[in-house]
Amino acid sequence: MSQSAVSRTWRACGLKPHIVRTWKPSTDPRFADQVRDVVGIYLSPPENALALAADEKSRTQALGPTQPVLPLAPTTRRG
């Protein structure tokens, strides 16, 4: 896959990995083995293979522990 194809896909999906400022390392003792397996599929896929990826957490769940809880702001009604 070319760099421009990856770039187009990122833009189409709204992905911006270049602006990620933090990294949370996994505490899973099998993490390194799992990464090796996944990367191996992408680098040397079986013939006629299709690799799919899914995030384990929803966007809200993933942000929950890292973002501060903001107080509710008072609202005003106009009318």
Side-chain angles (χ1 to χ4, degrees):
M1 181 176 268
S2 71
Q3 179 180 350
S4 59
V6 171
S7 181
R8 281 193 305 272
T9 303
W10 285 357
R11 273 195 307 276
C13 295
L15 300 174
K16 299 177 183 179
H18 58 284
I19 62 170
V20 172
R21 298 191 188 276
T22 60
W23 171 261
K24 286 189 168 188
S26 175
T27 57
D28 185 343
R30 300 171 301 151
F31 182 71
D33 294 329
Q34 293 169 346
V35 169
R36 240 180 257 117
D37 291 343
V38 171
V39 171
I41 289 172
Y42 282 96
L43 293 178
S44 181
E47 191 172 329
N48 298 320
L50 173 64
L52 303 173
D55 194 345
E56 293 179 7
K57 295 181 178 182
S58 72
R59 185 174 175 181
T60 303
Q61 288 174 318
L63 292 176
T66 60
Q67 301 296 317
V69 177
L70 300 175
L72 294 175
T75 59
T76 58
R77 286 191 162 187
R78 294 181 184 183

